[in-house]
Amino acid sequence: MTPPTASAQLDDARAGERRGWAVVEIRRDGSLGPAELVSASGAQEAARAAVTRAGRGRQAGRSSMLDDALGLLQAANGLHAQAARSFTRAGLGPADITDQQEVLGHLALVEAYRGDLARAADHARTALTAAGAPGVPAADRYAALAMAWVHLERAEDARCAAQLDLVGHGPTRQVEPWWDTARALLEARLLVATGRPHAAVRLLTDEIAVAEPEPAWRHGVLAVARADALLAGGEPRRALAVLTPLPPSAFPEAAVVAADAHLATGDTRGAVAVLAAATGDLDGAPLTVQVRAWLLEARASAHRGHRERTGQLLARALQAAAAEDALSPLRRQWPGVRQLVNEDPVLLRTYRDLLPRLRDLEARRTAPPVPVVRQTPTGILGASLTERELEVLDLLAQMYSTEEIAVALYVSANTVKTHLKGIFAKLCVNRRAEAVRRGRQLGLC
């Protein structure tokens, strides 16, 4: 590797000097306390420093709020083990039931993403029970999204889709990168699971196009999900192209999808190499990624005639998945490992309760897909879009800017903005990418 030049090092140092966080106390009455600038070399260090400073001699409630904010920041940057610890600390502090409910929702979503499904479901139910309402207010949406994630990991696609309908499209207070990323990933995975990988590719392409440069983990994991959708759609070489080079911000996830793509092209050696490169990172990866890696390695090991190693890897994958009742990573790989499992009497005996469920899922793979978007209490979503709003939506789907839409339709930019507001309101979304995604789901663009 070529060492960085003096000029590059100087640029990095200057960038580090410019990077920092403004820490402001927000009082209960909505007023703001004095601002304090916290310099740091990165977002995580800045937030951690903010929590440390705020915790000295201040009330526990303020520290809990900062722990919660730190957890959201860590989750948005892919540091989910650290985020879980931050949310756990935050949950020990607030006595207010609404604060407690919100923190539990934040914790549940991180746990669901990591694959701690039993804990995630327990925390999400507690948060939703505390809400005591059939709808999903903004403070509860993290918990509801966590439940949707648990349903998907357990291959309960219909329940996942129904939960997503209740969730809506994110917190009403502000845009949150972790929420946006988790929701997009979940929607894409549900589309793939229900036989619509190309719709998942379109959804993720839109998300990537509008994503901010930071956090880098969001870009990396969305690119990995897009490659995985391409792979599910029968395009392994395009998937490999998307993952070349492997995004460092989501390396273990990218390596596992790349290995799957290599196996799909008959390149066992390439699959083994990329899995070996990710071995050191897999321990901290989500359960779904770990199980998939072990199953892929088992397939490659069987191809090379290593029977004992193959059995060990299959047993590890089945044991980990069974512990959390996580059928989703197993059903995707089941066609490739079915024969290997059926030839192992120990596995057949040990997992006699789990394996029939996998066979049943495989038998139902040809069933009609579960729609993500359903009828709302006020009618069919998007049915009241005007002809002009449909034209604007169609141009949005073609990545036109506001000014370009105005030129194309011979109207002013302000008129376009008015149409956009109408589209957002009727489709129950807040952003352009969401409008395009929802429009495509409804067949409007």
Side-chain angles (χ1 to χ4, degrees), residues 186-197 199-201 203 370 372 441:
L186 186 60
E187 284 192 17
R189 287 187 57 193
L190 181 59
L191 287 169
V192 170
T194 53
R196 293 171 289 171
V201 171
L203 183 155
V370 179
V372 175
Q441 291 171 343

Side-chain angles (χ1 to χ4, degrees), residues 72-255:
L72 290 173
L73 180 63
Q74 290 167 327
N77 282 270
L79 304 174
H80 299 106
Q82 295 93 318
R85 288 195 291 270
S86 296
F87 292 138
T88 299
R89 286 196 306 269
L92 298 176
D96 183 272
I97 188 64
T98 302
D99 292 342
Q100 186 75 33
Q101 171 191 339
E102 189 166 7
V103 170
L104 276 177
H106 294 164
L107 177 59
L109 183 55
V110 166
E111 289 172 333
Y113 180 83
R114 297 183 67 206
D116 298 329
L117 304 184
R119 281 203 297 262
D122 183 55
H123 288 141
R125 289 192 192 100
T126 300
L128 292 171
T129 301
V136 187
D140 311 330
R141 290 185 180 181
Y142 278 89
L145 189 60
M147 283 304 304
W149 199 290
V150 170
H151 289 317
L152 182 68
E153 295 289 19
R154 291 177 171 169
E156 299 165 347
D157 300 336
R159 297 181 71 182
C160 175
Q163 194 72 37
L164 271 175
D165 285 343
L166 290 175
V167 169
H169 281 269
T172 57
R173 297 175 302 171
Q174 60 187 26
V175 175
E176 295 187 8
W178 165 230
W179 167 274
D180 293 338
T181 305
R183 165 107 197 183
L185 291 174
L186 186 60
E187 284 192 17
R189 287 187 57 193
L190 181 59
L191 287 169
V192 170
T194 53
R196 293 171 289 171
H198 298 299
V201 171
R202 291 195 300 271
L203 183 155
L204 292 163
T205 300
D206 292 340
E207 288 289 336
I208 292 170
V210 300
E212 297 291 335
E214 296 290 341
W217 175 79
R218 172 173 166 80
H219 276 269
V221 79
L222 289 176
V224 172
R226 179 170 175 263
D228 198 22
L230 287 168
L231 177 60
E235 301 183 79
R237 298 194 185 280
R238 282 189 65 193
L240 286 171
V242 170
L243 296 177
T244 304
L246 297 179
S249 59
F251 185 77
E253 295 91 339

Side-chain angles (χ1 to χ4, degrees), residues 388-428:
R388 182 62 90 181
E389 286 171 342
L390 289 171
E391 291 175 344
V392 171
L393 181 61
D394 185 62
L395 293 174
L396 275 185
Q398 300 176 50
M399 303 301 293
Y400 275 52
S401 67
T402 298
E403 291 73 18
E404 290 170 335
I405 294 174
V407 171
L409 298 181
Y410 300 99
V411 296
S412 70
N414 285 335
T415 300
V416 174
K417 292 176 182 178
T418 300
H419 289 315
L420 288 175
K421 289 180 182 178
I423 292 170
F424 292 171
K426 293 174 182 179
L427 295 183
C428 300

Side-chain angles (χ1 to χ4, degrees), residues 304-316:
R304 293 180 295 172
H306 300 165
R307 188 166 185 172
E308 182 178 355
R309 177 62 175 164
T310 299
Q312 292 171 346
L313 290 164
L314 290 173
R316 184 187 301 176

